[in-house]
Amino acid sequence: ALGRVARLAALCRALRRREAEGDEAGWAHAQEEAEAARRELREIVRPLREPGYREALRRKAERARKRRLRLQRRKQEAKAAKEEEAARAAEREAKIDQWRAKCIQEVEEKNRERELKAAADSVLSEVRKKQADTKRMVDILCALEKLRKLRKEAAARKGVCPPPSADEAFENQVESLKTLLKNRTELYEAEERALRVMLEGEQEEERKREMEKKQKKEREKLLQQKLEIDSKLFGDPDEFPLAHLLQPFREYYLQAEHSVAALIQIRHEWDQFLVPADHPEGSCIPPGWVLPSLPTNDTWATAVR
């Protein structure tokens, strides 16, 4: 309708211009176009005069507006869901990468420890082999002494006696070899002791690392239990902001963690109610938080939620 009104206004201006110029043919042609535009405009605006038409148009426009809002809301919800899924996927990927890096680090540490232990065992076996060789040489030397003694006795029975210089040379040579073998034995024993100390140190370090891992897991478990208890008592800190209505209660019940004076005051108030475990009119102080019991009916569960 607005388009037809604008066209009709342009034709009216053209009619005035033709009339001012005295162009009768052009004026007649413009008049026919103006009449046609006026009839089209009348046809278009005729439904607007009917009762209830504007209300129907308003309802139609309202439906279209709601449909646009609904589509926009669905688009925003889909976008938010997509972003949330992308964030969860990124968090999962980060956790997987962290777990993979941890596993790789543990495998590398075990490989290094295995290589170090294998190297130490190899060196220890080499030292033991040297000790065995030294012991075998000592046995051979003792066997040589026994053999010479037997041969000397056999020669003496035949009336053949070696000169004293030969006995002295043999004894000097044997003593020199015994001293050399003794020094080597002491050296190999020192090496074995050093290797055993190193292996015991590595085992002690391994036990210490295992103990630290166990203590770390225990601390994480206790921290998780504490967070669960705090969330049951004071609500989830991620769900409730600092300005939430439970924040004053949270600060009141946790004030002893930040103030020594508050801790002393609270302990003084608790100590007034100390009683033995078998006292008929009371019970001992619980070691931790007294957690609320589970809802016993659906109405209570609805209120808790």
Side-chain angles (χ1 to χ4, degrees), residues 204-217:
E204 183 65 26
E205 289 292 331
E206 179 65 22
R207 288 193 294 268
K208 188 181 295 183
R209 283 193 291 268
E210 292 294 332
M211 183 62 68
E212 290 177 355
K213 290 181 181 179
K214 185 176 180 181
Q215 291 176 355
K216 183 178 179 182
K217 289 182 179 180

Side-chain angles (χ1 to χ4, degrees), residues 76-293:
Q76 292 176 355
E77 290 176 355
K79 182 180 179 181
K82 186 176 180 181
E83 292 178 353
E84 185 178 358
E85 180 62 27
R88 286 198 298 266
E91 185 178 358
R92 287 195 300 268
E93 289 293 333
K95 290 183 178 179
I96 291 173
D97 293 339
Q98 185 178 2
W99 173 79
R100 186 185 295 113
K102 183 179 179 181
C103 291
I104 293 173
Q105 184 179 1
E106 291 179 355
V107 171
E108 290 179 351
E109 289 180 356
K110 289 182 180 179
N111 290 335
R112 285 196 297 269
E113 292 172 1
R114 192 181 300 111
E115 292 174 358
L116 183 61
K117 186 176 180 182
D121 291 340
S122 176
V123 176
L124 185 60
S125 63
E126 186 68 23
V127 171
R128 288 177 177 174
K129 182 179 178 182
K130 292 178 181 179
Q131 288 178 340
D133 293 339
T134 304
K135 187 176 183 300
R136 187 169 60 254
M137 293 174 66
V138 171
D139 294 338
I140 292 173
L141 190 60
C142 292
L144 285 174
E145 287 181 334
K146 187 180 296 185
L147 178 62
R148 189 178 186 281
K149 182 179 180 182
L150 292 174
R151 287 183 177 181
K152 185 178 178 181
E153 291 177 354
R157 285 193 297 269
K158 294 179 180 179
V160 179
C161 295
S165 59
D167 294 339
E168 185 178 356
F170 180 78
E171 291 177 359
N172 291 335
Q173 189 68 25
V174 169
E175 289 296 328
S176 176
L177 291 175
K178 284 184 178 181
T179 303
L180 178 62
L181 293 176
K182 182 180 179 181
N183 294 334
R184 288 189 177 182
T185 302
E186 293 176 354
L187 177 62
Y188 297 152
E189 288 178 354
E191 290 182 0
E192 183 181 7
R193 286 194 299 270
L195 288 173
R196 289 187 179 279
V197 170
M198 185 177 68
L199 290 176
E200 290 177 0
E202 289 295 329
Q203 293 175 358
E204 183 65 26
E205 289 292 331
E206 179 65 22
R207 288 193 294 268
K208 188 181 295 183
R209 283 193 291 268
E210 292 294 332
M211 183 62 68
E212 290 177 355
K213 290 181 181 179
K214 185 176 180 181
Q215 291 176 355
K216 183 178 179 182
K217 289 182 179 180
E218 290 293 333
R219 287 195 299 268
E220 292 177 354
K221 184 178 179 181
L222 292 176
L223 180 60
Q224 185 64 28
Q225 292 177 354
K226 183 178 182 300
L227 292 177
E228 291 178 359
I229 292 175
D230 290 345
S231 64
K232 290 180 180 179
L233 292 172
F234 308 111
D236 191 355
D238 296 332
E239 182 179 357
F240 299 110
L242 294 177
H244 193 264
L245 55 91
L246 291 177
Q247 184 61 23
F249 301 96
R250 185 183 184 89
E251 293 178 353
Y252 173 76
Y253 284 109
L254 298 180
Q255 60 180 332
E257 297 183 2
H258 309 285
S259 174
V260 178
L263 175 62
I264 295 174
Q265 178 63 27
I266 292 172
R267 287 301 308 174
H268 176 68
E269 293 176 357
W270 274 97
D271 292 343
Q272 294 178 357
F273 301 96
L274 287 176
V275 294
D278 56 349
H279 197 278
E281 298 182 359
S283 60
C284 61
I285 299 175
W289 290 105
V290 180
L291 297 179
S293 58

